[in-house]
Amino acid sequence: MVQYLHGYNTQEQQRLIDQAGFLGPLIYPSVDFSDCKNLLEVGSGVGAQTAVLLGLFPELRITSVDFSEAQLAKARENLSGFSDRVTFVNQDVQYLDLREKFDAAFFCWALEHISDPQAVMHRVKSHLLPGAKIHITEVFNSTFYYEPASPALAHYYRVYNQQQRNFGGNPDVGAQLGNLLAHAGFKQIQLSRSGFHLDQSQPDELRGFIEFWKMLMKSGAPGLLDTGAISQNEIDAMESDLDGILADENAVFFYQFVQAKAMA
Ligand SMILES: C[S@@+](CC[C@H](N)C(=O)[O-])C[C@H]1O[C@@H](n2cnc3c(N)ncnc32)[C@H](O)[C@@H]1O
């Protein structure tokens, strides 16, 4: 059985759509596939990013790969209006095997779940034409910082990240993107960071990101309850701590993710 931090229930599938909309303004300023025709999307989920890419780049055809048939079924439903521009493939990208070669590749929040990200970078590179563009967005969970001290949030976050490691993933894989691309032979590697640094000078943004963070944290809750790693009381306490940050006059809420662009 596949072990996956966020699970595949309908609430999680909707969260991915909401997340793509909410974080879009942070993710997409560095994405440019306007001169590309044929894009490989790795770990495409329910097609939340696929929809954004199709909208931004009307010339693009996309092959979306995910190893969850449940996600792909939802993606087909979500993107039913684009059947001429999207192909769905059910494969584990660690063993990616397609006949086609692509002039672009896109990853968003996928590599963090994969036990051998280097193998994936090699596999993807072998499916790209010389000069193809790649764009990756990934977590760097060790950058999460907040004030005031919030012990229940700190505990939950530790357990959440440990679950990802136990399932073979890496919650800090964003920090490794440059190395992964370089070792796979990509050139012109450019790294950048995005995310949020919020406090009471921007109360509305602070509220929005705290609500987003609650949903993100709770996406791991069913799996954490299943393995007995966390109790319902601890989930409730984590949420109360986040409300406590929002109410604190000296609140700080900070997180950075990493983006990488390169050429095959
Ligand atoms: C957090 S979701 C992100 C989905 C999408 N990129 C987005 O941003 O909405 C990660 C997706 O990667 C898929 N995934 C994880 N490991 C995979 C693997 N080895 N091969 C293919 N898909 C994988 C999961 O099934 C899940 O749908």
Side-chain angles (χ1 to χ4, degrees):
M1 197 196 80
V2 167
Q3 294 189 307
Y4 172 62
L5 176 70
H6 305 291
Y8 295 113
N9 64 30
T10 46
Q11 213 179 343
E12 166 59 13
Q13 292 183 325
Q14 183 56 45
R15 186 191 69 84
L16 289 175
I17 305 282
D18 297 344
Q19 172 175 262
F22 186 72
L23 295 181
L26 298 182
I27 293 174
Y28 282 91
S30 65
V31 180
D32 181 10
F33 292 121
S34 52
D35 54 353
C36 302
K37 294 267 179 281
N38 199 12
L39 179 136
L40 172 66
E41 185 187 12
V42 173
S44 48
V46 299
Q49 310 294 349
T50 327
V52 180
L53 291 166
L54 288 167
L56 285 176
F57 307 108
E59 302 299 314
L60 213 52
R61 284 204 75 267
I62 301 183
T63 298
S64 296
V65 181
D66 203 289
F67 67 2
S68 159
E69 193 41 62
Q71 300 291 76
L72 290 170
K74 194 68 188 173
R76 278 188 200 98
E77 193 184 306
N78 289 339
L79 299 171
S80 58
F82 293 97
S83 54
D84 53 331
R85 291 178 59 204
V86 189
T87 305
F88 297 100
V89 177
N90 185 354
Q91 280 188 17
D92 183 334
V93 293
Q94 292 176 111
Y95 313 101
L96 186 71
D97 185 12
L98 302 171
R99 275 202 294 273
E100 239 174 312
K101 294 231 181 197
F102 300 85
D103 64 0
F106 179 83
F107 293 60
C108 188
W109 317 130
L111 220 46
E112 67 195 72
H113 300 290
I114 293 175
S115 57
D116 193 347
Q118 191 64 69
V120 172
M121 299 316 298
H122 283 289
R123 272 323 293 170
V124 166
K125 173 110 184 328
S126 74
H127 284 78
L128 296 180
L129 296 164
K133 280 184 175 177
I134 184 168
H135 190 287
I136 310 178
T137 298
E138 261 311 338
V139 292
F140 187 179
N141 285 1
S142 292
T143 64
F144 185 39
Y145 179 85
Y146 47 85
E147 292 184 31
S150 306
L153 173 60
H155 173 66
Y156 188 95
Y157 197 59
R158 247 190 326 273
V159 175
Y160 174 94
N161 285 313
Q162 189 54 48
Q163 179 90 326
Q164 185 155 22
R165 286 189 203 93
N166 293 346
F167 287 173
N170 177 0
D172 287 325
V173 74
Q176 285 294 335
L177 293 184
N179 291 328
L180 290 165
L181 286 162
H183 297 328
F186 284 91
K187 301 184 197 76
Q188 297 181 28
I189 299 164
Q190 286 177 263
L191 300 174
S192 58
R193 287 142 303 281
S194 184
F196 49 86
H197 180 180
L198 298 164
D199 55 26
Q200 297 297 6
S201 69
Q202 305 156 82
D204 293 340
E205 287 83 352
L206 179 62
R207 178 182 301 280
F209 274 90
I210 284 192
E211 287 309 314
F212 161 72
W213 205 257
K214 276 189 198 171
M215 294 298 125
L216 176 64
M217 291 297 96
K218 287 200 291 183
S219 70
L224 292 169
L225 286 166
D226 272 358
T227 56
I230 212 94
S231 67
Q232 187 58 50
N233 282 346
E234 289 170 317
I235 297 169
D236 296 344
M238 174 273 292
E239 282 201 74
S240 297
D241 269 4
L242 284 165
D243 289 332
I245 293 174
L246 182 59
D248 193 282
E249 63 175 343
N250 293 316
V252 177
F253 204 58
F254 177 96
Y255 180 83
Q256 294 283 286
F257 58 84
V258 182
Q259 298 193 290
K261 304 199 247 198
M263 190 179 275

